[in-house]
Amino acid sequence: MTGSSRANRDAARDEALRRLSARSGIPRPPVVNAAEHVSHVLRRAIIEGLLAPGTQLSEQHLGAALGVSRNTLREGFRLLTHDRLLVHHRNRGVFVPRPDAADLADLYRLRQALEGGALRVAGPVAPEHLRTLAADVAAGDAAASRRRWRQVGTANMDFHEHLLMLAGSPRIVEIGRQVLAETRLAFLHLDAHALHEPFLARNKGLLALLRTNRLQQAAEELQAYLRDSEQQVLATLTAR
């Protein structure tokens, strides 16, 4: 990559982070402190595929993009390092990590416990939750029709986060967001079209089960869904 193309890429990413920071729905001070806001924005950037594995994070560029001091940015980095979404290399800086096959296998075990567990303890699904899940499915279909496969991946991550919310547990959602962000990092290594297209229909199938409150059947389908996804991802990673 030439210096000018790298500069253009970085400028586009910084502008995307500025828009993300201003987006409604991401907690802002004084609801959370500034460092927590930074961590929310960068976690969402990972979910949306804006920060690829191996990316070095520049304090100067990110501080300017997010409108925060270096000390605040470093505290946000520390929070995300604790969540395994960033890694600090001594004398080199802060980087977005590269999950390997062992990481993926562990993440899928945790997703089975969290997402499957959320469906097993959920009560009748409220209409507002169904509307949110339906909007995620529609967003995935719309992105697929435009062949925007990275956006399909984002809609899929949102769908799985909203499944976690059915448990009614803020702690499950908080842990699940971290796990989904780590999973997305691994997905960014892969062909997004081949990875996400097969699961568009399966998201619709899960939604149909939830609409009729067939939660046990939905939990069993989700277990098979995640098992199939894991096998697909791991087969691709080990073949590289």
Side-chain angles (χ1 to χ4, degrees):
M1 181 179 295
T2 66
S4 60
S5 61
R6 184 180 295 107
N8 290 338
R9 180 204 61 190
D10 291 346
R13 185 188 65 210
D14 290 349
E15 178 57 31
L17 286 170
R18 276 190 286 272
R19 292 196 300 270
L20 197 58
S21 179
R23 185 185 301 173
S24 61
I26 295 181
R28 296 185 61 85
V31 177
V32 298
N33 67 36
E36 288 173 335
H37 175 69
V38 168
S39 71
H40 281 295
V41 170
L42 294 181
R43 183 180 291 106
R44 186 63 197 176
I46 289 170
I47 285 284
E48 296 193 9
L50 296 174
L51 295 174
T55 300
Q56 182 173 11
L57 301 187
S58 163
E59 291 183 0
Q60 179 179 355
H61 289 160
L62 282 178
L66 300 179
V68 298
S69 70
R70 287 195 173 190
N71 284 342
T72 296
L73 193 63
R74 287 168 183 165
E75 177 61 15
F77 287 172
R78 187 193 66 77
L79 293 172
L80 290 178
T81 300
H82 180 266
D83 289 345
R84 299 186 180 91
L85 296 176
L86 295 177
V87 61
H88 180 265
H89 293 304
R90 185 177 179 87
N91 299 324
R92 292 180 57 205
V94 175
F95 294 79
V96 180
R98 298 179 184 271
D100 59 20
D103 294 321
L104 257 293
D106 192 37
L107 288 167
Y108 271 99
R109 280 193 291 271
L110 189 48
R111 288 185 65 186
Q112 288 278 13
L114 290 171
E115 295 181 44
L119 293 186
R120 289 186 174 90
V121 302
V125 183
E128 60 269 24
H129 287 307
L130 291 173
R131 286 193 292 270
T132 299
L133 291 163
D136 296 332
V137 168
D141 284 344
S145 71
R146 300 191 304 272
R147 304 189 68 77
R148 302 288 181 84
W149 298 108
R150 192 184 79 183
Q151 292 177 16
V152 173
T154 299
N156 183 60
M157 291 289 117
D158 289 341
F159 180 82
H160 285 275
E161 178 179 329
H162 293 138
L163 287 178
L164 291 164
M165 291 182 178
L166 300 182
S169 167
R171 289 176 175 84
I172 287 177
V173 174
E174 181 180 358
I175 296 168
R177 283 176 176 153
Q178 173 192 336
V179 172
L180 289 171
E182 282 193 84
T183 305
R184 187 65 193 272
L185 283 177
F187 285 178
L188 294 174
H189 285 296
L190 309 176
D191 178 347
H193 180 187
L195 176 65
H196 295 300
E197 186 177 42
F199 293 93
L200 290 168
R202 295 183 77 165
N203 286 349
K204 291 178 188 175
L206 282 169
L207 178 59
L209 293 171
L210 295 173
R211 279 181 165 144
T212 52
N213 281 309
R214 288 179 285 173
L215 294 171
Q216 181 61 36
Q217 190 175 345
E220 292 169 359
E221 166 56 25
L222 181 60
Q223 183 178 28
Y225 173 124
L226 291 173
R227 184 174 59 247
D228 292 345
S229 176
E230 178 183 6
Q231 290 173 353
Q232 177 188 356
V233 172
L234 291 177
T236 304
L237 283 176
T238 55
R240 291 166 65 92

